[in-house]
Amino acid sequence: YQRRVHGQKLLKQIQDLEKRKTTVEKEIFADFEKRVQIADIQEYEEKRLRLQEERTSKMQEYTELISRLQTQVDFAGRKAGAEDVQKLQATITDLEKKLARQKKELAESEAELAKADKEVKEVRSRTEDCKQAMDAASNTMKEIKRTMGSKLDELGEAKKKVTQKESVCEKLRSVRAALVQKCRVEEISIPTVTPKRKAEEEAGRRKKRTRGAEDEEEGFVASEPVSMSEMDSSQTSKDELVCIDFSGLPERLKQITRSAREYQTRTSEYDSQIEKLEVEIEKLAPNLKAMHRFADIEDKFDDTNKEYEEAREAQRRAQQEFVAVAEKRHAKFMETFDIIADEIDKVYKDLTRDEEFPAGGTAYISLDKPEEPYMGGTKYNAMPITKRFREMDQLSGGEKTVAALALLFTINRVHPSPFFILDEIDAALDAGNVQKVCNYVRRHSTKCQFIVISLKSEFFEHADSLVGVVKDEATTASRVLTWELPQEH
């Protein structure tokens, strides 16, 4: 949980950096655009180039005109009188003044252009700094994503280990239940204590302890709660929970579970003692009056034992059949689930990708209990484009719809069907998601037929044909209209 919270915090930091970058760029260009009264840098450069070309063209035009007039003056001076020469000379003077003004304006424009170029360079320098900051943030985001991936893998491994430990505990509980059942059949009395009394005794012992080392030397006193139905079938209606009481055992016997070898040695010793006691009992003088009672009890025991063996054999066969069916069911389920788990991310990416984000979103599906999938639930998570990780119930209606469609199309890949009937799947989708779903349906319409009920033109305008139901006013009944759309549509 802490790793998930840490990953969410890192994703939030990345989003804050991106927002900050966008704000800085807007502030930089807003000041410059407001000062030079342009929409963007590209427009400014095009305008500057156009003005420079116009001024160059005007200068060349005036120079050529002055040259032609000078030639005319020289030619007219040789042919005409002094009055015509003066008129031409005045015209040349006016043109030279205009040329001087144009040169001055050109110099002023070039000064303004130089100043603007300097400002553009400064803006580009600041933009480059922002780009470097963006690259650094992008690298940080990639590193965070890699770290999150490794942490998720570690979390999965930890869950597997917990599942294995729980399986071992369940096996030990089964062994304990079998031993309790055997004691009940053999009429062996087992000392018990209620969970409440066990808790009170343990609380009293903790108050008396003065050193922590005594905890390791004391051993166990009582087991975890056991159902009374495992010990006495006559009490199955109450099914009261009790704990096996080990307080009456000697201290040396309370510690035998710490060593497997010592446990085996103690077990062998007690088995030998039981055999010796049985031999001694056989050597004792028999009670003749007890023989008739023993015979009746022995007959009853044989009948009961026969019924027990038959029931045990039936239980064994049923258990074997149950295990076979359970294994087959688990294999079939995991075979289908593994295919879905491998394909769900591909289908979701294919369904959510666009030109701006060709990689698409991310989706994955997992089991709460992989070893016993029917004892737990299934988790399905989807992370749309540019969105951080959130639980499925926290997604919007459109995002949930896209995730549900991805899961539906993935399940169809396991056992493909010849056609789909989709009833108003675009009700909660915006225009962008409608277009993505429509593109996906068009790409896969060659593999199966899609019948879509939709009220949005963005969706059904891409169909091969349309079917509509309208009311016929003449017959007061419904009519069905069909329309084949052009192939290029």
Side-chain angles (χ1 to χ4, degrees), residues 272-285:
S272 300
Q273 292 179 11
I274 291 172
E275 292 177 358
K276 291 179 181 180
L277 291 174
E278 288 177 349
V279 171
E280 291 178 359
I281 291 173
E282 291 178 356
K283 292 180 180 179
L284 295 176

Side-chain angles (χ1 to χ4, degrees), residues 328-458:
K328 185 177 180 181
R329 179 183 67 171
H330 182 269
K332 289 289 186 181
F333 178 86
M334 293 307 299
E335 179 182 0
T336 303
F337 180 81
D338 290 340
I339 296 175
I340 294 174
D342 292 337
E343 295 293 329
I344 185 66
D345 187 59
K346 300 176 184 177
V347 174
Y348 188 79
K349 290 181 183 297
D350 191 17
L351 190 61
T352 57
R353 66 165 52 100
D354 53 20
E355 295 181 359
E356 186 177 359
F357 300 95
T362 303
Y364 62 92
I365 189 170
S366 60
L367 295 173
D368 290 339
K369 294 184 178 181
E371 299 298 331
E372 291 291 337
Y374 299 99
M375 300 298 292
T378 302
K379 289 186 178 179
Y380 177 36
N381 297 102
M383 190 161 59
I385 299 173
T386 69
K387 296 294 184 65
R388 61 182 179 83
F389 176 82
R390 288 184 294 179
E391 295 294 338
M392 185 63 69
D393 57 354
Q394 296 179 354
L395 299 179
S396 64
E399 292 169 347
K400 290 180 181 178
T401 300
V402 175
L405 289 174
L407 181 60
L408 176 64
F409 293 145
T410 304
I411 295 175
N412 182 65
R413 290 193 177 186
V414 181
H415 298 291
S417 60
F419 63 90
F420 268 93
I421 299 178
L422 305 175
D423 187 8
E424 293 189 7
I425 60 173
D426 54 356
L429 301 180
D430 55 13
N433 284 327
V434 169
Q435 187 63 40
K436 292 177 183 179
V437 175
C438 182
N439 293 338
Y440 183 92
V441 171
R442 293 288 297 177
R443 287 196 299 271
H444 295 79
S445 60
T446 58
K447 299 179 181 178
C448 64
Q449 184 178 7
F450 288 84
I451 302 174
V452 182
I453 301 173
S454 175
L455 298 177
K456 292 187 178 182
S457 60
E458 294 89 351

Side-chain angles (χ1 to χ4, degrees), residues 177-409:
L179 292 175
V180 171
Q181 183 67 18
K182 183 178 179 181
C183 292
R184 186 185 65 81
V185 172
E186 296 180 358
E187 297 182 354
I188 299 175
S189 177
I190 301 177
T192 60
V193 64
T194 62
K196 182 177 180 181
R197 182 181 171 189
K198 174 189 173 183
E200 292 176 353
E201 291 179 354
E202 289 182 350
R205 285 193 299 271
R206 282 196 295 268
K207 290 180 180 179
K208 294 179 181 179
R209 291 171 190 160
T210 56
R211 292 182 300 175
E214 293 178 0
D215 294 344
E216 300 179 356
E217 296 176 358
E218 184 176 351
F220 57 87
V221 177
S223 70
E224 64 179 18
V226 183
S227 174
M228 282 297 294
S229 60
E230 298 176 356
M231 303 177 60
D232 191 351
S233 60
S234 64
Q235 299 180 5
T236 54
S237 60
K238 296 181 180 180
D239 198 22
E240 181 184 2
L241 293 178
V242 297
C243 302
I244 300 175
D245 187 8
F246 298 103
S247 60
L249 294 176
E251 291 297 327
R252 67 179 187 279
L253 296 182
K254 293 180 182 179
Q255 307 296 332
I256 62 173
T257 55
R258 298 182 182 275
S259 173
R261 181 178 300 177
E262 183 179 357
Y263 175 79
Q264 294 294 335
T265 302
R266 292 289 185 180
T267 304
S268 301
E269 291 177 359
Y270 284 123
D271 289 339
S272 300
Q273 292 179 11
I274 291 172
E275 292 177 358
K276 291 179 181 180
L277 291 174
E278 288 177 349
V279 171
E280 291 178 359
I281 291 173
E282 291 178 356
K283 292 180 180 179
L284 295 176
N287 186 357
L288 298 178
K289 293 181 180 181
M291 291 300 296
H292 297 289
R293 184 181 178 186
F294 175 77
D296 295 336
I297 295 174
E298 188 176 20
D299 293 338
K300 185 178 179 180
F301 173 77
D302 291 338
D303 295 338
T304 305
N305 190 52
K306 184 178 179 180
E307 292 177 359
Y308 169 75
E309 292 297 332
E310 290 176 354
R312 186 176 181 180
E313 181 63 22
Q315 186 270 341
R316 185 185 62 81
R317 290 194 301 268
Q319 182 68 21
Q320 290 178 349
E321 293 176 359
F322 173 81
V323 171
V325 172
E327 291 177 353
K328 185 177 180 181
R329 179 183 67 171
H330 182 269
K332 289 289 186 181
F333 178 86
M334 293 307 299
E335 179 182 0
T336 303
F337 180 81
D338 290 340
I339 296 175
I340 294 174
D342 292 337
E343 295 293 329
I344 185 66
D345 187 59
K346 300 176 184 177
V347 174
Y348 188 79
K349 290 181 183 297
D350 191 17
L351 190 61
T352 57
R353 66 165 52 100
D354 53 20
E355 295 181 359
E356 186 177 359
F357 300 95
T362 303
Y364 62 92
I365 189 170
S366 60
L367 295 173
D368 290 339
K369 294 184 178 181
E371 299 298 331
E372 291 291 337
Y374 299 99
M375 300 298 292
T378 302
K379 289 186 178 179
Y380 177 36
N381 297 102
M383 190 161 59
I385 299 173
T386 69
K387 296 294 184 65
R388 61 182 179 83
F389 176 82
R390 288 184 294 179
E391 295 294 338
M392 185 63 69
D393 57 354
Q394 296 179 354
L395 299 179
S396 64
E399 292 169 347
K400 290 180 181 178
T401 300
V402 175
L405 289 174
L407 181 60
L408 176 64
F409 293 145

